Amino acid sequence: MSLLRDWIETHREDVSSAESAFLAASEEASRRRRQEEAEKDRRLPEATQSDRGSRLDSDISDTIQRPPTPLGYAGYGGGAWKELPPFRILSIDGGGIMGAFAASVLATFEREIGRKIVEHFDLITGTSTGGIIAIGLAMGVPPEEVVKFYMTDGPRIFPKSTGVGMWRSWLNDIFRPRYTSDALRAAVQRVVGDRTLKDAKTRLVIPSYDVNAGSPYLFRTPHHPRYAQNADLTVLHVALATSAAPTYFPAHTIPGLGTFIDGGLWANCPPMIGLVEALDFLGQTPPQVRMLSISTTSYPFRLDHPGQLRGLWGWAPKIIETFMFGQAQSAVDMASRLLRYGYFYRVDYTVPPKSFRMDNSACANDLVAIGRRIAEQFDNMEILEKNFLNGIKVEPFRPLKLRRESRDA
């Protein structure tokens, strides 16, 4: 201790000088921060309103997200204000037969506004049933035809078991998937035929999961040189890969590529998939992005009696729901925050718990009716016509060629 006291006495002036310098530097940093905040407030007077509008409003049942009017300018990163062309993204959730709600919403928007969905979005992303809708739209299939797909083919894809057959089905579920993929394959092929990813009319990003590699996988149209190798892959393969929900359908094997299961395992609500694609691979900035996110309905979720959530028996009924809701809530929240200077709008409808099941095809009519009603609401229709289906068409998508193909040409 005496050595320490001697050192302090010897170096007291040096310590005082360092302390003074540190305090001066801190004061200077604080002054600069105050100047930056003042400049930011001067440049972005709408920022407070934007932040308030981008928060999730749990009291709104028909639309989770009520954002402010888009700024349309890039003050992003402290650069000069500059008007940039918008980059519009459509994101569609997974949910089995409940995709009928999303398809109906989109069909109503297109019919009432009189403008084609595919001509007004630079990128479409969708998972599982949302991936099937996304693929149909990108191939030029009218949303009304997609609605008919759920109405007509839903009962074939998800056949209902009754009586003894129901018990036999329950026993089979222990050892094998509940449904074969034959009906789904036939239904999707009737809608999209043998077209490939390079035939898409707009960019696509479709999540799946590669069981061989044990990692997420994204099927992309050839809109980036690094991902042009799947250009000739049929979209039928992509649709079956993204919708191969464990316990419901068998995993889907694509020869030469791998075996895949439902992308909903990690991205059932995919707005962040589309946003990362736009920012990282397509060179967009957040202020440019206009994102429309469509759900497949939702319901109030909470874990009742948390003391009972112990071990497999306590968690089994709730574990999948917990994962799905957690992923959806975080994806929506992150996307809305990252786009606080862009634009994020989510169309959703809250139903009572257990109203619909992803494999209950009998509810397709109700889901279509709900989707039509929600889309026709004034706020939704006005926002869609103003910010998405506004008559300003996106540039036509032109698939990139592999470098080898370019050299051959």
Side-chain angles (χ1 to χ4, degrees):
M1 291 297 294
S2 61
L3 290 175
L4 179 61
R5 283 195 298 270
D6 292 343
W7 187 92
I8 292 175
E9 288 297 329
T10 304
H11 296 83
R12 184 179 298 277
E13 292 184 1
D14 295 337
V15 172
S16 299
S17 298
E19 183 179 10
S20 299
F22 175 78
L23 291 174
S26 298
E27 290 176 0
E28 177 64 18
S30 298
R31 185 183 64 80
R32 289 182 179 180
R33 280 197 299 271
R34 288 194 296 270
Q35 286 181 342
E36 290 174 359
E37 289 297 326
E39 180 67 12
K40 186 176 179 181
D41 291 342
R42 184 184 68 79
R43 284 186 167 186
L44 299 175
E46 298 97 339
T48 301
Q49 178 184 354
S50 175
D51 185 47
R52 184 167 56 248
S54 68
R55 294 183 185 131
L56 296 179
D57 185 352
S58 59
D59 296 330
I60 297 173
S61 61
D62 58 332
T63 52
I64 289 180
Q65 190 66 22
R66 295 277 189 171
T69 302
L71 298 178
Y73 294 90
Y76 188 72
W81 284 64
K82 178 181 177 183
E83 190 167 3
L84 295 170
F87 188 89
R88 286 169 282 187
I89 302 173
L90 173 61
S91 172
I92 311 169
D93 291 8
I97 196 67
M98 294 182 294
F101 169 84
S104 180
V105 166
L106 293 167
T108 304
F109 285 148
E110 184 169 293
R111 181 180 64 252
E112 295 299 320
I113 297 174
R115 294 169 184 147
K116 292 184 178 180
I117 299 283
V118 71
E119 294 177 349
H120 287 79
F121 286 92
D122 299 275
L123 173 69
I124 303 178
T125 183
T127 304
S128 194
T129 193
I132 294 174
I133 297 172
I135 289 167
L137 294 173
M139 294 298 139
V141 178
E144 290 285 1
E145 291 298 316
V146 181
V147 173
K148 292 178 183 177
F149 164 84
Y150 286 97
M151 303 276 285
T152 304
D153 293 297
R156 301 188 187 107
I157 297 169
F158 300 110
K160 185 178 180 180
S161 300
T162 57
V164 176
M166 183 172 63
W167 285 101
R168 186 182 297 115
S169 175
W170 183 83
L171 290 172
N172 286 337
D173 290 351
I174 299 175
F175 303 103
R176 66 190 68 176
R178 184 173 300 177
Y179 308 104
T180 70
S181 58
D182 296 342
L184 178 60
R185 176 190 293 271
V188 172
Q189 188 153 33
R190 279 197 300 272
V191 175
V192 300
D194 295 321
R195 281 173 281 191
T196 63
L197 284 170
K198 69 182 180 185
D199 297 322
K201 298 180 182 296
T202 191
R203 301 171 187 84
L204 277 172
V205 184
I206 308 296
S208 184
Y209 190 87
D210 184 343
V211 298
N212 301 116
S215 64
Y217 191 92
L218 293 172
F219 293 96
R220 295 174 167 96
T221 47
H223 55 257
H224 189 279
R226 286 174 56 187
Y227 300 106
Q229 70 271 16
N230 287 339
D232 294 318
L233 184 65
T234 64
V235 293
L236 174 61
H237 274 309
V238 179
L240 294 174
T242 191
S243 58
T247 75
Y248 288 92
F249 294 107
H252 181 67
T253 299
I254 302 176
L257 193 59
T259 299
F260 300 89
I261 55 178
D262 199 317
L265 289 175
W266 66 282
N268 197 59
C269 178
M272 286 300 297
I273 302 297
L275 183 54
V276 169
E277 192 74 15
L279 303 184
D280 192 31
F281 294 99
L282 298 172
Q284 307 301 310
T285 60
Q288 291 175 264
V289 175
R290 310 285 180 266
M291 181 177 289
L292 173 63
S293 174
I294 310 290
S295 84
T296 52
T297 74
S298 59
Y299 57 89
F301 175 75
R302 66 179 182 181
L303 294 170
D304 296 320
H305 311 297
Q308 298 178 8
L309 299 175
R310 300 173 182 174
L312 181 60
W313 184 260
W315 270 109
K318 287 288 187 179
I319 190 68
I320 295 178
E321 283 182 294
T322 304
F323 287 152
M324 301 282 273
F325 272 86
Q327 189 275 325
Q329 290 163 351
S330 62
V332 169
D333 191 42
M334 286 188 289
S336 62
R337 291 178 185 277
L338 288 172
L339 294 179
R340 60 178 295 185
Y341 299 131
Y343 194 77
F344 180 87
Y345 193 74
R346 182 162 169 86
V347 178
D348 190 13
Y349 183 72
T350 303
V351 300
K354 300 182 180 179
S355 296
F356 306 118
R357 294 197 323 271
M358 64 174 289
D359 63 338
N360 181 11
S361 59
C363 66
N365 288 334
D366 292 338
L367 287 160
V368 169
I370 293 171
R372 185 185 307 116
R373 187 174 74 248
I374 293 304
E376 288 173 346
Q377 289 182 356
F378 176 76
D379 284 355
N380 288 332
M381 195 66 69
E382 182 184 40
I383 287 170
L384 261 291
E385 186 169 9
K386 180 179 179 181
N387 299 297
F388 297 101
L389 303 184
N390 54 11
I392 303 174
K393 298 180 181 180
V394 301
E395 291 185 10
F397 169 61
R398 295 181 177 85
L400 298 178
K401 294 182 179 179
L402 286 170
R403 291 187 177 89
R404 175 174 49 80
E405 293 178 358
S406 300
R407 287 197 298 270
D408 293 343

